[in-house]
Amino acid sequence: MNLIPALSRIRVVLSRPSHPGNIGAAARAMKTMGLERLVLVEPRAFPHPQADARASGARDVLERAVLYSSLEQALAGTVAAAAFTTRPRDLAHPRCTVREAARQLLTESACGDVALVFGTEASGLSAAELSLCRITAFIPANPAYPSLNLAAAVQIAAYEARLAEEILPPAQDRPPPAVAEDVELFFRHLEAVMISSGFLDPAQPKRLMRRLRRLFARARLEKEEVAILRGILNAVDDT
Amino acid sequence: MNLIPALSRIRVVLSRPSHPGNIGAAARAMKTMGLERLVLVEPRAFPHPQADARASGARDVLERAVLYSSLEQALAGTVAAAAFTTRPRDLAHPRCTVREAARQLLTESACGDVALVFGTEASGLSAAELSLCRITAFIPANPAYPSLNLAAAVQIAAYEARLAEEILPPAQDRPPPAVAEDVELFFRHLEAVMISSGFLDPAQPKRLMRRLRRLFARARLEKEEVAILRGILNAVDDT
């Protein structure tokens, strides 16, 4: 059904959506742009007649939606994820526009699955959720009223992904990035070693892990690099 | 409230919208991008509680919405209008992408009001409505399911208008285009002269007027040119 292979590697992840109507409208928005892989993290109500109604001709996308209980699970197997935020957050990764994010994701999609990640209607993504995504993106908007409806934000991101696919040159000759779950295992390993070494006081963690996540997000860790880093951690932890 | 002058010259015209919820969602979509001038042509139900609910923080846009009984009235005073269609129509003007259309409109907005024009949910704009708009635009979409929700289409068009405003250089030194109502008076004058001269048989009009409209849409008639053409029509009709 989908004639554009890169688009079939995009997951649209909705974390804790409150309104089932928005889930249906997001499915419709996705399908109009050729995206079909909807992932839901703890939706308040799903399946739901309102979701079906607003999905219109995209009920097949709803029916194939995959549910998880955490964003971390939803991102397993992805090589890049772009988190959408309205407001810049303290210590968040540097933000790029939705257009830039779509181009980055489409480029990375040559190496594996990628994800567009949206938070709950009222408050967006949590800091912990943001830190799971390598790219932080925003949709240029009216500063006096930047509050796009969830499905409207999905529509714009899906539209930019479709255009990016048409514009982008074939994937460059870069080594593939590590998948999300391997990067998470590295961060846990790093944290454990910092604690066991006395560098990080778990009672007073401050923002150390978030700073480190930010650094490695910029670096776009490759699979082999994660292996090397974990080798280092194993080595120092043995001493 | 709106800090971008060019955006304040954009009217968003919804012709015969069926669902009041879509009107509210369109108002919200507009406001998130800094557009505030909503124009409704014969809405089936307005005002309506569903419109208010979906407008969320953009009820002020709804409250200031202007209603007309025809698209022609809604476009009076505009120097350029872009009509959105899903399917190419027989003899329609050449279509451009929403991105190109937004750039054209923002350029023309230096000369006066411009309009983004959307048809009814089920069937879009009629051929007669399309012929009132100089630009015919489409949103790139999945050919297997190009059916964007009305408010989602408004969201993308408003988003592209906002980006176009940021990107475009200052208006070029071109003479201003004629306003819509003057162009319409010219077309009626032309039709009348073709009939009185025997060139056009009103019983068998075929597609003559649509072909002529298409020609002059491409030409982007200027105010003085319309005056000249009407002068010619007056002259030939006197003979």
Side-chain angles (χ1 to χ4, degrees):
Chain A
M1 178 170 189
N2 194 332
L3 301 174
I4 304 182
L7 296 182
S8 69
R9 286 192 285 271
I10 300 178
R11 303 179 195 175
V12 173
V13 182
L14 307 184
S15 181
R16 298 167 288 123
S18 307
H19 301 297
N22 283 338
I23 300 174
R28 177 173 178 178
M30 289 168 58
K31 188 170 174 179
T32 62
M33 294 297 143
L35 273 58
E36 299 189 333
R37 295 176 60 188
L38 177 60
V39 176
L40 304 172
V41 178
E42 298 207 311
R44 186 183 289 174
F46 185 82
H48 194 283
Q50 279 179 28
D52 291 347
R54 295 279 296 282
S56 190
R59 287 201 195 176
D60 55 326
V61 174
L62 284 187
E63 281 158 14
R64 280 182 278 113
V66 184
L67 274 75
Y68 291 104
S69 58
S70 76
L71 180 57
E72 193 174 334
Q73 289 168 19
L75 296 180
T78 61
V79 295
F84 284 80
T85 65
T86 301
R87 291 172 295 276
R89 301 223 183 199
D90 182 39
L91 260 188
H93 306 171
R95 299 198 308 165
C96 65
T97 66
V98 54
R99 188 165 295 173
E100 292 159 353
R103 289 176 182 175
Q104 281 190 53
L105 287 189
L106 268 286
T107 303
E108 301 287 20
S109 74
C111 307
D113 276 6
V114 297
L116 297 162
V117 183
F118 300 85
T120 190
E121 288 90 339
S123 54
L125 293 163
S126 69
E129 288 176 319
L130 278 179
S131 72
L132 294 171
C133 302
R134 181 147 57 83
I135 300 165
T136 307
F138 70 98
I139 296 173
N142 179 1
Y145 185 65
S147 149
L148 273 78
N149 165 267
L150 174 58
V154 170
Q155 182 74 68
I156 287 180
Y159 163 76
E160 286 288 5
R162 185 176 188 86
L163 291 197
E165 210 288 327
E166 289 173 2
I167 292 161
L168 280 177
Q172 295 142 344
D173 205 11
R174 283 208 294 174
V179 294
E181 59 270 40
D182 288 349
V183 176
E184 285 309 308
L185 288 173
F186 159 65
F187 282 130
R188 284 193 202 150
H189 197 168
L190 176 63
E191 188 171 22
V193 170
M194 290 197 299
I195 290 171
S196 69
S197 69
F199 183 76
L200 174 63
D201 177 0
Q204 292 213 327
K206 296 186 183 163
R207 290 170 173 171
L208 190 57
M209 281 311 300
R210 271 200 266 165
R211 283 185 182 275
L212 290 167
R213 282 178 175 275
R214 187 179 175 188
L215 181 164
F216 287 109
R218 281 201 314 278
R220 182 189 176 275
L221 283 173
E222 294 165 10
K223 187 180 173 68
E224 280 197 24
E225 292 169 342
V226 170
I228 293 165
L229 289 168
R230 294 203 62 189
I232 297 171
L233 291 173
N234 278 324
V236 297
D237 212 23
D238 280 346
T239 60
Chain B
M1 177 172 191
N2 193 330
L3 300 176
I4 303 181
L7 296 182
S8 70
R9 285 193 285 272
I10 300 177
R11 304 178 194 174
V12 172
V13 182
L14 307 184
S15 182
R16 298 166 289 123
S18 306
H19 301 298
N22 283 338
I23 300 174
R28 177 173 178 180
M30 289 168 58
K31 189 170 173 180
T32 62
M33 295 296 144
L35 273 58
E36 300 188 331
R37 296 176 61 188
L38 177 60
V39 175
L40 303 172
V41 178
E42 297 205 314
R44 186 185 287 175
F46 185 84
H48 194 283
Q50 280 179 26
D52 291 347
R54 296 278 296 280
S56 190
R59 287 200 195 177
D60 55 325
V61 174
L62 284 187
E63 281 159 14
R64 279 181 278 112
V66 184
L67 275 75
Y68 290 105
S69 58
S70 76
L71 179 57
E72 191 173 336
Q73 289 168 20
L75 295 180
T78 61
V79 294
F84 284 81
T85 65
T86 302
R87 291 172 295 276
R89 301 223 184 202
D90 182 39
L91 260 189
H93 308 170
R95 298 199 308 165
C96 65
T97 66
V98 54
R99 188 164 295 173
E100 293 160 352
R103 289 175 182 174
Q104 280 190 54
L105 286 189
L106 268 286
T107 303
E108 301 286 21
S109 74
C111 307
D113 277 5
V114 297
L116 298 162
V117 182
F118 300 85
T120 190
E121 287 90 339
S123 53
L125 293 162
S126 69
E129 288 176 319
L130 278 180
S131 71
L132 295 171
C133 301
R134 181 147 56 84
I135 301 165
T136 307
F138 70 99
I139 296 173
N142 179 1
Y145 184 66
S147 151
L148 272 78
N149 165 267
L150 174 58
V154 170
Q155 182 73 67
I156 287 181
Y159 163 76
E160 287 288 6
R162 185 176 189 87
L163 291 197
E165 210 287 326
E166 290 172 3
I167 290 162
L168 281 176
Q172 295 142 344
D173 205 14
R174 283 207 295 174
V179 295
E181 58 270 40
D182 288 349
V183 176
E184 285 309 307
L185 287 173
F186 159 65
F187 282 129
R188 284 192 202 151
H189 196 167
L190 176 63
E191 188 171 22
V193 170
M194 289 197 300
I195 291 170
S196 70
S197 69
F199 183 77
L200 173 63
D201 177 1
Q204 294 213 325
K206 296 185 183 164
R207 291 168 170 171
L208 190 57
M209 280 312 299
R210 271 202 266 165
R211 283 185 181 275
L212 290 167
R213 281 178 176 277
R214 187 179 176 189
L215 180 164
F216 286 110
R218 280 202 313 279
R220 180 188 176 276
L221 284 172
E222 294 165 10
K223 188 181 172 67
E224 280 197 25
E225 291 168 343
V226 170
I228 293 165
L229 290 168
R230 296 202 62 189
I232 297 171
L233 291 173
N234 278 325
V236 297
D237 211 25
D238 279 349
T239 59

